[in-house]
Amino acid sequence: NNVTCWNSEILAPEKGGNVTLTLSLGKKYELTYVSLQFCNKKPHSMAILKSMDHGKSWQPFQYYSGDCSRVWGRDHRVAISRANEQEALCLDSHLKDGSGTST
């Protein structure tokens, strides 16, 4: 099992700031599922963005937060439908085991 970890310092909410990790896949892929395994504490909130023009512009792929409404302005209880299946939703499921850092 080959596991690679990227680490950053934990950012305090009052300091602000972001941690960015950019992966270039080298060619076009259609992603239908993304799985993240955290080596340390999970972030309270994060967004996965996608680019379809080699990083010139970015759009949301998925939001995650323990407080989707406050952090991203989105409800975490939205049912997936044909009308919103292409829309980036906000989930809080990454924190279900309670190991996320609080803000």
Side-chain angles (χ1 to χ4, degrees):
N1 191 7
N2 186 7
V3 177
T4 301
C5 292
W6 289 274
N7 287 310
S8 76
E9 64 183 84
I10 295 176
L11 300 175
E14 60 275 3
K15 288 185 178 179
N18 294 308
V19 174
T20 301
L21 172 64
T22 304
L23 301 174
S24 176
L25 301 176
K27 62 181 183 176
K28 194 174 194 177
Y29 288 90
E30 182 176 340
L31 296 177
T32 55
Y33 184 79
V34 174
S35 176
L36 300 175
Q37 179 180 349
F38 292 91
C39 299
N40 292 309
K41 284 188 173 184
K42 298 174 186 174
H44 178 268
S45 301
M46 68 177 180
I48 298 175
L49 305 177
K50 64 181 177 180
S51 174
M52 296 173 52
D53 56 10
H54 303 285
K56 293 177 185 160
S57 64
W58 295 88
Q59 60 190 40
F61 180 75
Q62 188 73 51
Y63 296 106
Y64 297 91
S65 181
D67 190 347
C68 290
S69 179
R70 184 178 62 82
V71 175
W72 302 113
R74 297 175 172 270
D75 189 344
H76 74 279
R77 296 174 302 260
V78 174
I80 299 173
S81 67
R82 282 240 187 248
N84 70 7
E85 68 183 359
Q86 297 298 315
E87 201 176 299
L89 302 177
C90 188
L91 304 173
D92 63 359
S93 56
H94 76 293
L95 295 176
K96 291 298 182 199
D97 65 3
S99 62
T101 57
S102 62
T103 59

